[in-house]
């Protein structure tokens, strides 16, 4: 199965389907990612905060595949927004991953109520990591339209990616549109709403129509919207299920029925980035 790639505005490209490792226990991560690689995943989404970068790196090394076959993303811990900490923690991520370069480094959360509201100097430090060659691309996560507007206005550099919560119950159109306005591609986190879609009557009906599972239908909906997805599962059968989403299509009417499931703010499975302020102990 060949996974389509999307072009980013810095001249690089990214596989539209990947594998997420949030809540994969560190001790299990190498084995879980090795299985995902066997299934065919080559794009892995981790974060400093997940505590499992070592396992991701070990699985990539154990695969014996060329480094260039992989697309690896990690994200800045909320504890490290000050520019010196961005640089230091980034070097530590590379060491944990056992890589000389990652493909994408993201600010995990904007934290507008922390660091005197200064996520601009954080963003500038991220862009300097691209100039220095440690990461091929820099982007953001959980940025609302006003957060995006501000970093672009103040630095003149737009992120290539905005990774935000998107699924049928939170279609997040304002943040998607602002990302597109700045030329950023959207990555949809919690794409199957942490499993909620499995019991959804509308998605279940469509799954019956196309002969697929609710998870596959939902992932296909994201792909047809042009977003990137990286569902997480520690179960091989589900990894395989979530990977088989490029050989069928939803009709416009089926896609519209899923669009209509949007619950706005009430549909969030995670926190609202305007108020989320958790800083883990470093
Ligand atoms: P997902 O929407 O990917 O759902 C994962 C959950 O659904 C797990 O409980 C998994 O269980 C279950 N599941 C997976 N596949 C299936 C299936 N085919 N049928 C039924 N259940 C299934 O949620 P995540 O929150 O993990 O989001 C995906 C990725 O997005 C994360 O791993 C992370 O990389 C990223 N993310 C980023 C955030 C950010 O702030 N930037 C925040 C949250 C996530 P099991 O493992 O037992 O199979």
């Amino acid at each position: 199965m060949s996974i389509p790639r999307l072009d980013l505005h810095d001249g690089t490209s990214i596989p539209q389907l990947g594998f997420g490792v949030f809540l994969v226990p560190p001790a299990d991560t190498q084995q879980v990612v090795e299985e995902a690689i066997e299934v065919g995943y080559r794009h892995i989404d981790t974060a400093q905060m997940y505590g499992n970068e070592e396992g991701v790196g070990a699985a990539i090394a154990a695969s014996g595949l060329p480094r260039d076959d992989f697309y690896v993303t990690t994200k800045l811990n909320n504890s490290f927004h000050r520019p010196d900490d961005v640089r230091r923690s980034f070097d530590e991520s590379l060491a944990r991953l056992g890589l000389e370069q990652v493909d994408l480094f993201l600010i995990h959360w904007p934290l507008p109520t922390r660091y005197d509201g200064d996520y601009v100097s954080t963003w500038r430090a991220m862009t300097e990591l691209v100039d220095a060659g440690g990461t091929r691309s820099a982007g953001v996560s959980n940025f609302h339209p006003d957060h995006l507007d501000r970093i672009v206005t103040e630095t003149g550099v737009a992120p290539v990616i905005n990774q935000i919560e998107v699924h049928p119950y939170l279609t997040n159109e304002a943040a998607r549109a602002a990302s597109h306005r700045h030329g950023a591609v959207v990555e949809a986190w919690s794409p199957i709403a942490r499993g909620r879609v499995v019991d959804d009557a509308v998605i279940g009906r469509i799954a019956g129509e196309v002969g697929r599972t609710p998870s596959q239908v939902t992932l296909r909906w994201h792909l047809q919207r042009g977003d990137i997805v990286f569902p997480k599962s520690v179960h091989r059968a589900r990894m395989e299920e979530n990977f088989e989403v490029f050989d069928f299509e939803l009709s416009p009417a089926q896609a519209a029925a899923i669009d209509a499931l949007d619950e706005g703010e009430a549909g969030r499975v995670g926190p609202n980035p305007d108020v989320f302020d958790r800083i883990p102990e470093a």
Side-chain angles (χ1 to χ4, degrees):
M1 175 82 64
S2 129
I3 304 298
R5 298 181 75 97
L6 301 183
D7 291 332
L8 303 181
H9 73 63
D10 62 1
T12 64
S13 68
I14 180 169
Q16 201 180 0
L17 175 72
F19 185 72
V21 295
F22 177 46
L23 296 181
V24 178
D28 301 341
T29 301
Q30 177 175 352
Q31 178 243 317
V32 167
V33 175
E34 281 182 17
E35 271 188 87
I37 292 170
E38 279 168 28
V39 169
Y41 293 91
R42 296 290 181 270
H43 166 184
I44 316 289
D45 184 88
T46 184
Q48 293 175 345
M49 231 182 291
Y50 303 167
N52 56 19
E53 290 170 313
E54 279 106 337
V56 170
I60 290 171
S63 75
L65 294 168
R67 167 65 183 91
D68 285 352
D69 283 10
F70 291 94
Y71 192 97
V72 180
T73 299
T74 193
K75 316 185 193 83
L76 181 74
N77 193 315
N78 290 350
S79 319
F80 301 138
H81 273 219
R82 293 199 177 84
D84 281 351
D85 291 333
V86 172
R87 292 183 275 273
R88 181 185 50 78
S89 74
F90 178 71
D91 286 344
E92 289 171 2
S93 277
L94 288 182
R96 282 189 294 268
L97 286 160
L99 299 176
E100 290 178 5
Q101 186 186 50
V102 293
D103 297 280
L104 179 63
F105 193 43
L106 304 176
I107 300 181
H108 205 146
W109 292 89
L111 305 177
T113 63
R114 295 279 189 179
Y115 301 100
D116 300 320
D118 174 21
Y119 43 81
V120 176
S121 62
T122 313
W123 173 240
R124 195 171 284 114
M126 302 282 292
T127 65
E128 288 165 4
L129 294 174
V130 179
D131 300 336
T135 181
R136 294 182 75 207
S137 299
V140 296
S141 177
N142 297 302
F143 271 47
H144 278 329
D146 57 317
H147 307 141
L148 287 173
D149 292 345
R150 185 166 158 216
I151 57 169
V152 177
T153 302
E154 295 195 28
T155 69
V157 184
V160 295
I161 292 282
N162 188 16
Q163 181 179 128
I164 53 178
E165 181 179 342
V166 185
H167 46 69
Y169 313 109
L170 178 72
T171 56
N172 220 340
E173 299 306 349
R176 288 180 77 244
S179 306
H180 296 156
R181 187 160 40 79
H182 288 296
V185 173
V186 170
E187 294 185 332
W189 66 250
S190 293
I192 59 169
R194 307 231 164 111
R196 182 178 163 193
V197 302
V198 171
D199 298 318
D200 188 285
V202 170
I203 295 172
R205 180 204 19 106
I206 296 167
E209 288 168 8
V210 296
R212 296 296 176 132
T213 69
S215 176
Q216 289 173 324
V217 164
T218 306
L219 294 170
R220 184 70 214 170
W221 170 79
H222 286 284
L223 296 171
Q224 289 184 203
R225 282 156 58 90
D227 292 352
I228 295 165
V229 284
F230 25 79
K232 168 264 178 187
S233 179
V234 296
H235 297 102
R236 189 178 180 118
R238 287 176 171 175
M239 293 177 197
E240 289 171 352
E241 176 186 336
N242 296 341
F243 197 72
E244 285 160 14
V245 288
F246 292 101
D247 56 351
F248 72 104
E249 277 196 35
L250 302 178
S251 70
Q254 289 167 334
I258 300 175
D259 294 344
L261 297 174
D262 185 24
E263 298 171 358
E265 205 48 36
R268 281 191 190 277
V269 300
N272 185 312
D274 269 332
V275 297
F276 185 64
D277 65 354
R278 197 173 73 86
I279 298 199
E281 294 199 5

